[in-house]
Amino acid sequence: MKEDLVAEEASLAGTPSCIGPDELMLDSYRVTSQTEVEEEQFLYRHLGKRCFPRKELTAVTGPAKSGKTFFISQVTACGASKQLQLLSLERTDEQPLKVMLYDTEQSQSTTKEILCQRIAPMIGGDFPEELLFVFNVRTLSAEERRKYLAVAITTYQPDLVVVDGIADLVNDINDGQETVEMIQELMHLAEQNNCNITTVIHLSRTGDKSHMRGWLGTLLLQKCYEVFCCASLPNSETLSVEMTTSRKSRTMEIFYYNVDEKGIPYAAKDSDIHAGKSQRVDPNSNLSADTNMFNKKYLVSANGDGGSDWDWDYRQLFVDAMGGWEIRSADDIETRVKELTNIKQKQYYYKVLIEAERRGVIIKTYDKYHRVAIMLSH
């Protein structure tokens, strides 16, 4: 009997042999070397790496206007299309997938435009109404959006669900209890319905790829199987997508693409990529920009010889930006650093911030409201 086996194991472990319902229930969750488990099933490959597993959560993130909607449109179209491959994505099964797009952000007209002018052209041929289920729930409350998401998944049984965006399923992305409950609901839905639930969320204002917005973003990073980060090259029409986190099969390769006048994405040429990258100023090396635009108080000779190569005095800059405070919000620091240095481009500021953290000048943390904050390291 099950009770006898559990009692024997308990006695060998030196614990009392009185076995009740709680002990039996606990034992049902035990994993041993002999436990039979289902093999993980993946819906796609991205650049050859398996991704979007069933019964798991996936996150798509990036700054505003970085191509998140374009990427999830590709994921949706690749799933419902008769063709196995679309740009960086490839279905693992020849049979098309049932895909659900649950839009919480856009207007109804914008949602239809995404469906008809982005997703449909990428699918090509006859539109598979029986495979695509698109809902616009912007007018509902957060509680109602969560309720009807569960109804939609259990009713239509999709293989892939895309929630754009997940922040609208809660009233406050920094409410720890609410976000935990919502993530647990999504994990339960994915498990019980054998589907992947992909969530779309903005990056935090620091621009760091590992920091998604709010306490919700922090929890998602812990619970998601993988994270895709979208970005746009500065002063360029070229967009990119990168798998920044994965439990098993992360690829270090970044996929670049452009979008034609009809809204159809296509793989970027090397010349497009290099042209976009050449616009960026890299604070990890000597300043390539005209230093006359910056406050020279925070510029130092990179080689210590008074030459023409310059770098930032990160310590002095962030000491002044902190203004004597022990901890300041990331938004305050961004404003202060830009004012002190005369930095105008947000992407350049983010690079300076990341480099300051890499050099051990600052530490990212969270304030009492669970917002990203900055401290000086000592």
Side-chain angles (χ1 to χ4, degrees):
M1 294 176 62
K2 181 69 172 178
E3 292 87 344
D4 296 334
L5 292 174
V6 176
E8 181 180 354
E9 290 285 344
S11 64
L12 291 174
T15 58
S17 59
C18 181
I19 302 301
D22 290 340
E23 288 78 13
L24 288 172
M25 178 59 70
L26 173 63
D27 192 68
S28 69
Y29 293 104
R30 184 181 176 187
V31 178
T32 72
S33 61
Q34 304 302 314
T35 301
E36 294 184 3
V37 297
E38 294 181 2
E39 183 179 354
E40 289 180 314
Q41 298 179 27
F42 295 84
L43 302 178
Y44 299 91
R45 294 185 185 89
H46 169 69
L47 298 173
K49 298 292 185 179
R50 297 187 303 173
C51 54
F52 295 92
R54 292 183 184 273
K55 301 185 178 182
E56 295 281 358
L57 304 184
T58 294
V60 174
T61 188
K65 311 303 180 184
S66 60
K68 296 186 294 297
T69 301
F70 269 117
F71 180 61
I72 63 171
S73 296
Q74 294 171 40
V75 175
T76 302
C78 184
S81 174
K82 293 180 180 179
Q83 298 183 5
L84 283 175
Q85 189 166 1
L86 177 62
L87 298 179
S88 65
L89 293 165
E90 179 185 11
R91 262 196 339 270
T92 57
D93 197 319
E94 291 188 8
Q95 188 69 22
L97 303 171
K98 291 172 68 175
V99 182
M100 178 179 293
L101 175 59
Y102 199 76
D103 192 343
T104 69
E105 292 188 341
Q106 316 287 347
S107 67
Q108 194 172 61
S109 61
T110 301
T111 302
K112 184 175 180 180
E113 180 180 315
I114 292 170
L115 175 64
C116 297
Q117 298 183 24
R118 291 189 187 178
I119 297 174
M122 283 189 278
I123 292 175
D126 295 333
F127 190 77
E129 295 281 3
E130 73 283 2
L131 297 176
L132 272 175
F133 304 92
V134 180
F135 298 92
N136 183 291
V137 294
R138 189 172 75 163
T139 60
L140 301 181
S141 67
E143 291 79 9
E144 289 172 327
R145 291 169 188 148
R146 288 162 63 174
K147 171 185 175 181
Y148 288 111
L149 174 62
V151 171
I153 293 174
T154 55
T155 300
Y156 295 101
Q157 290 292 296
D159 301 294
L160 174 74
V161 180
V162 179
V163 181
D164 186 10
I166 189 175
D168 294 317
L169 299 187
V170 292
N171 293 297
D172 181 359
I173 61 173
N174 290 308
D175 185 322
Q177 181 175 349
E178 186 182 19
T179 55
V180 166
E181 291 175 354
M182 187 269 288
I183 294 296
Q184 288 178 338
E185 288 178 17
L186 294 186
M187 294 172 64
H188 179 75
L189 283 169
E191 175 73 29
Q192 294 300 310
N193 295 279
N194 195 34
C195 65
N196 173 277
I197 299 181
T198 293
T199 63
V200 181
I201 184 172
H202 288 288
L203 279 179
S204 69
R205 290 184 176 87
T206 65
D208 189 331
K209 294 178 181 179
S210 64
H211 287 88
M212 295 182 286
R213 188 164 293 179
W215 186 254
L216 172 59
T218 301
L219 187 61
L220 267 179
L221 189 61
Q222 297 173 4
K223 300 300 183 182
C224 282
Y225 188 95
E226 64 213 350
V227 177
F228 289 89
C229 187
C230 300
S232 59
L233 295 184
N235 303 315
S236 170
E237 298 297 324
T238 300
L239 302 170
S240 69
V241 60
E242 174 185 9
M243 186 192 293
T244 54
T245 301
S246 175
R247 290 182 193 164
K248 290 186 179 179
S249 57
R250 177 186 173 189
T251 174
M252 302 300 292
E253 188 177 353
I254 301 176
F255 179 73
Y256 296 92
Y257 65 97
N258 291 330
V259 181
D260 66 21
E261 64 279 1
K262 295 181 179 179
I264 306 300
Y266 61 93
K269 301 176 181 177
D270 288 343
S271 57
D272 296 328
I273 300 170
H274 295 318
K277 288 182 176 180
S278 68
Q279 300 291 333
R280 293 186 287 181
V281 182
D282 188 356
N284 299 336
S285 61
N286 298 332
L287 289 175
S288 58
D290 182 2
T291 57
N292 290 326
M293 66 182 290
F294 300 127
N295 184 348
K296 290 184 172 55
K297 175 182 178 181
Y298 302 106
L299 297 177
V300 294
S301 175
N303 301 318
D305 58 4
S308 59
D309 292 333
W310 295 89
D311 199 357
W312 289 105
D313 184 345
Y314 292 95
R315 172 62 63 175
Q316 185 62 57
L317 171 57
F318 281 90
V319 166
D320 290 355
M322 292 297 295
W325 292 37
E326 181 178 353
I327 182 173
R328 296 193 73 157
S329 72
D331 289 345
D332 285 347
I333 290 297
E334 178 178 353
T335 300
R336 289 283 295 153
V337 168
K338 286 181 175 179
E339 289 175 349
L340 292 170
T341 60
N342 200 33
I343 289 174
K344 302 298 184 184
Q345 294 183 344
K346 184 180 289 285
Q347 293 298 325
Y348 186 24
Y349 162 74
Y350 288 152
K351 284 186 169 294
V352 171
L353 184 75
I354 292 169
E355 181 64 9
E357 183 181 22
R358 189 188 72 82
R359 296 190 185 194
V361 174
I362 60 172
I363 300 172
K364 288 180 183 174
T365 183
Y366 293 92
D367 62 18
K368 63 181 180 180
Y369 302 107
H370 302 296
R371 297 175 302 190
V372 177
I374 305 296
M375 297 177 62
L376 287 171
S377 61
H378 299 289

